[in-house]
Amino acid sequence: MIHLTENAATHISNYLKNRGKGEGIRVGVKTSGCSGLAYVLEFVDEVDTHDQSFEQFGVKVFVDPKSLVYLEGMEMDYVKNGLNEGFEFNNPNKKGECGCGESFTV
């Protein structure tokens, strides 16, 4: 299961409302960066029958089966620090990350 904080759910919900469509958000991983894997976020307009889905605070999160292995138990938050804001991933499966924080290893 992927856990959303209330801040993350509120941000996603507001974005979906402003966008005017969407079933939720898909969270996945792709091969990238110097550590091997990077998080990928995309809006879901059509649900893939193979995806696992989770719902928290009224927001649906979809994860493809291959990514779920790397993301199981992860908490996704939305944080603002000064002028910077964005999603923060607290992944218990992560063993390390690159210096810039763009990719991780499991």
Side-chain angles (χ1 to χ4, degrees):
M1 179 171 191
I2 305 283
H3 302 279
L4 290 180
T5 65
E6 191 169 354
N7 283 342
T10 299
H11 183 76
I12 294 166
S13 179
N14 289 339
Y15 205 98
L16 285 168
K17 285 177 190 171
N18 290 336
R19 189 172 178 260
K21 65 178 181 177
E23 295 292 321
I25 191 167
R26 180 175 288 112
V27 181
V29 295
K30 69 175 182 174
T31 303
S32 179
C34 48
S35 287
L37 297 170
Y39 299 107
V40 178
L41 299 174
E42 62 185 10
F43 291 103
V44 176
D45 293 328
E46 293 184 28
V47 177
D48 185 325
T49 58
H50 297 102
D51 284 350
Q52 293 287 320
S53 66
F54 310 98
E55 185 170 343
Q56 294 175 329
F57 301 104
V59 173
K60 292 181 183 175
V61 177
F62 299 90
V63 183
D64 67 271
K66 290 180 182 178
S67 294
L68 189 58
V69 173
Y70 303 107
L71 303 176
E72 183 70 40
M74 182 181 77
E75 178 187 74
M76 193 170 137
D77 194 6
Y78 190 81
V79 295
K80 293 182 181 183
N81 292 320
L83 297 175
N84 297 320
E85 62 183 273
F87 288 105
E88 186 174 275
F89 304 94
N90 300 310
N91 189 342
N93 305 302
K94 180 177 77 173
K95 302 292 184 217
E97 64 184 359
C98 66
C100 64
E102 293 294 319
S103 62
F104 67 100
T105 59
V106 291

